[in-house]
Structure formats: structure tokens, C-alpha cells
Amino acid sequence: MLRGLLSVLVFGSALLHIRAEYKGPRVHVYVFKPLTMVFIILLALQGARPDASPYKYAIIAGLGFSLVGDIFLMLPLKRVIAGLASFLVAHLCYIVAFSANIRLSVSGFLLAFFLLYVIIMFAVLFPHLGKMKLPVLVYELVIVMMAWRAVERWAQIGDTGALLALAGAILFVISDSAWATNQFVRRY
């Protein structure tokens, strides 16, 4: 029952955040963006038993660092470096989670796909990065590694949880790419 309620709260808070992004008021963004993450963390904690696996602990830690990253990037004087660092640590947590209890395997095609993605994204961003070239490159490499590990986990385990984690990883890559394009290229 609590999981159902938290799921409804996640969905409702996320909708209110999206609405606030487009229609305001801005203060609602400051409330509902982090509140959505808090509800997601509470939902993840509901599934974590005292004897929970390293996977669950790493996911919960990653969600916590994602919340911190969101807060840094929402501040009136955006703390881009602090936000990137928080999300970088979150992705490292997700890599640990997605690597738990699976073997390390490397698909040449998959690796080539992700490296091509990094090359294209970095080429788009490069002229606009200034001093941020190295941090953004490192971040891009880590986030595609996170997505690669999510793909590998799904390929090896094949359950619904692994598929949902893969969907989340892909959405994270897409949203970070959109954010980076807006932040560095379009400067909205």
C-alpha cells in the first residue's frame, strides 16, 4: 500500500515539476523537483530490506547523489561543477549497482555505439565548453559506461527490474545530453 501511495506521489510531484518548468511559478520548480527525488528515494527504500544487496544500496546512494546534483543545478547561481560532480558520483554508484552479480562482458558493437555517441556529443559541445572540456568528457565517458553496464545487466539477467534500470539509464543519457546542449550550446 505504501509503495502504491509513494508511486502516486512520485508521479504527481513530477507532473507538478514539469508544469512549473513551463508555466511557473519558479518557486514550484524548487519545491517539486527535489520532492520528486525524495519520493523516489523513499520508494527505493521501501524495497530495501535490512539484508539488501549491494545493488539496492548502490541504487539508493546514486539516487541520493542525483538529488544533490539536482539541487546544485537549480540554485540561482548554478553550481555546474558541483552538480556535475554529484551526478558523476551518482553514475559511479549506478555502475556499481548494474555490475553487481553479473560477469564483465564486452560487446564490440555496443562499445562502438557508446563511443560513437561520446564522440558526436563531445564534437557538438566542444566549441562551447571553454575550461569545461575535460570535466564534460570525463562525465560523458562515465555516463555511457553506466548505460553500457545497464545494457549488459539486462542482457544477462533479463528480468523486468533490469529492463526498467536500462530504461532509466537511457533516459538519464538523453536528459543529460539535452541539458548539456542547453547549458553549453544554446545557453538558455
Side-chain angles (χ1 to χ4, degrees):
M1 172 127 171
L2 183 56
R3 293 181 85 179
L5 175 62
L6 286 170
S7 297
V8 169
L9 291 172
V10 167
F11 186 72
S13 183
L15 286 177
L16 290 169
H17 164 236
I18 292 167
R19 182 188 178 284
E21 285 284 355
Y22 289 99
K23 297 193 178 227
R26 190 76 189 150
V27 70
H28 287 181
V29 172
Y30 298 139
V31 171
F32 292 111
K33 186 170 188 174
L35 188 59
T36 301
M37 283 303 298
V38 168
F39 289 144
I40 290 170
I41 292 168
L42 291 173
L43 186 59
L45 286 169
Q46 284 300 304
R49 299 179 317 267
D51 63 340
S53 68
Y55 175 87
K56 289 180 183 177
Y57 286 126
I59 291 292
I60 291 166
L63 291 170
F65 281 104
S66 294
L67 171 61
V68 171
D70 279 343
I71 290 169
F72 276 127
L73 294 179
M74 297 190 327
L75 293 174
L77 297 174
K78 289 183 182 177
R79 307 283 192 248
V80 175
I81 296 292
L84 280 177
S86 298
F87 282 113
L88 181 73
V89 174
H91 294 313
L92 293 172
C93 291
Y94 299 139
I95 289 168
V96 168
F98 298 154
S99 299
N101 303 319
I102 65 167
R103 68 186 182 284
L104 180 63
S105 64
V106 179
S107 160
F109 172 75
L110 193 57
L111 188 57
F113 171 78
F114 282 124
L115 288 176
L116 180 62
Y117 180 82
V118 168
I119 290 167
I120 291 169
M121 269 308 293
F122 197 66
V124 168
L125 298 174
F126 185 84
H128 311 281
L129 292 175
K131 294 178 183 176
M132 294 292 292
K133 287 179 178 70
L134 183 60
V136 169
L137 179 60
V138 169
Y139 185 86
E140 284 184 10
L141 290 169
V142 169
I143 196 170
V144 297
M145 180 183 278
M146 181 268 305
W148 163 60
R149 295 310 298 155
V151 171
E152 287 294 336
R153 183 172 191 81
W154 178 68
Q156 291 181 37
I157 294 178
D159 67 5
T160 303
L163 181 59
L164 291 172
L166 171 59
I170 299 297
L171 289 172
F172 220 139
V173 171
I174 291 168
S175 71
D176 277 14
S177 299
W179 179 87
T181 302
N182 285 334
Q183 176 70 25
F184 297 111
V185 178
R186 296 191 183 137
R187 299 230 185 245
Y188 287 121

